[in-house]
Amino acid sequence: NAGVTQTPKFRILKIGQSMTLQCTQDMNHNYMYWYRQDPGMGLKLIYYSVGAGITDKGEVPNGYNVSRSTTEDFPLRLELAAPSQTSVYFCASSFVGDNQPQHFGDGTRLSIL
Amino acid sequence: AQKVTQAQTEISVVEKEDVTLDCVYETRDTTYYLFWYKQPPSGELVFLIRRNSFDEQNEISGRYSWNFQKSTSSFNFTITASQVVDSAVYFCALSEADSSGSARQLTFGSGTQLTVLP
């Protein structure tokens, strides 16, 4: 049972490039989330999804897009990378109904130069 | 709007000392959930505990204990007889409940860096 898997683990982008951060979970969780963690800070919610085909904005959605075509996958896309998007990105999932905690992936460290 | 405040940015203790990490939260919801996560130097997030707003019982798990007080909107975390392996960043987090009563997206505090010296 892999849990929440994020790829890649590290990436360096140039300003203006685009990329997709992949996230997949094998726990059949309804809810999935994307957070970013800036140095010395807590995590902030970017986007979340309560099920396939449903997504909603979190606290810091600008510059990002998401989609949820399947229960398992929740990719995060950066269209025009900016230095302010340098951060560690965490994907998480949780199961609705039994008040379980969110399970986090190991994170993707992204640098925009 | 929800808010979580961890006023202690950094704490250093010597091994075997007890240490308490403070967490104060703000929410207008009557049903909510509180969490503590540990982030070791390797960077992953490790779940430690979840509490719902209707359960004010303190909890002990080995060397860890948690004190939840709704009257002061606090959810403090104590490590007894600290060890070097406890060195990490600890995050307190708050979640509102959806219509089914389940926890939703988390609002995190800024974290407390705990360093346990040998």
Side-chain angles (χ1 to χ4, degrees):
Chain A
N1 201 349
V4 179
T5 303
Q6 292 183 235
T7 57
K9 294 189 184 303
F10 305 93
R11 184 73 184 268
I12 298 175
L13 285 182
K14 294 182 179 179
I15 295 172
Q17 287 186 320
S18 61
M19 79 162 293
T20 299
L21 282 65
Q22 301 292 343
C23 175
T24 187
Q25 52 91 10
D26 61 0
M27 297 172 283
N28 203 31
H29 283 172
N30 316 70
Y31 290 3
M32 294 188 75
Y33 314 82
W34 274 106
Y35 296 88
R36 60 176 286 174
Q37 183 182 22
D38 297 332
M41 303 295 291
L43 282 69
K44 293 187 177 181
L45 183 68
I46 305 172
Y47 271 95
Y48 67 99
S49 169
V50 300
I54 306 171
T55 62
D56 209 345
K57 296 178 180 179
E59 183 182 356
V60 289
N62 291 342
Y64 307 95
N65 281 300
V66 294
S67 60
R68 183 96 182 269
S69 57
T70 67
T71 299
E72 295 78 20
D73 300 308
F74 191 40
L76 176 72
R77 182 150 181 91
L78 284 70
E79 292 293 351
L80 290 171
S84 61
Q85 294 177 305
T86 294
S87 190
V88 180
Y89 291 83
F90 287 96
C91 179
S93 71
S94 63
F95 185 70
V96 68
D98 62 355
N99 303 323
Q100 289 300 303
Q102 293 183 14
H103 297 256
F104 284 83
D106 289 340
T108 295
R109 187 174 299 274
L110 181 63
S111 296
I112 315 296
L113 303 177
Chain B
Q2 300 179 109
K3 184 178 180 181
V4 176
T5 301
Q6 294 180 256
Q8 302 153 309
T9 305
E10 297 181 19
I11 300 176
S12 288
V13 299
V14 177
E15 202 169 23
K16 298 184 182 178
E17 287 184 354
D18 298 346
V19 58
T20 295
L21 309 182
D22 298 332
C23 174
V24 174
Y25 63 92
E26 296 175 27
T27 180
R28 295 178 182 175
D29 295 331
T30 56
T31 302
Y32 52 90
Y33 300 92
L34 295 163
F35 300 82
W36 276 94
Y37 283 86
K38 174 182 179 181
Q39 188 175 45
S42 50
E44 74 273 20
L45 284 158
V46 179
F47 165 75
L48 296 178
I49 191 172
R50 173 190 56 83
R51 261 287 176 263
N52 70 51
S53 53
F54 299 110
D55 183 0
E56 287 194 71
Q57 283 189 341
N58 292 334
E59 180 158 339
I60 299 174
S61 176
R63 296 184 297 107
Y64 295 170
S65 62
W66 291 269
N67 182 5
F68 176 29
Q69 292 193 344
K70 287 180 73 172
S71 60
T72 56
S73 297
S74 64
F75 186 44
N76 297 337
F77 172 32
T78 297
I79 302 175
T80 302
S82 60
Q83 300 176 0
V84 173
V85 294
D86 295 328
S87 296
V89 180
Y90 290 86
F91 290 101
C92 181
L94 169 68
S95 173
E96 63 182 6
D98 65 12
S99 58
S100 71
S102 298
R104 292 284 293 270
Q105 56 269 28
L106 295 169
T107 298
F108 282 82
S110 56
T112 297
Q113 170 71 62
L114 174 64
T115 302
V116 181
L117 304 170

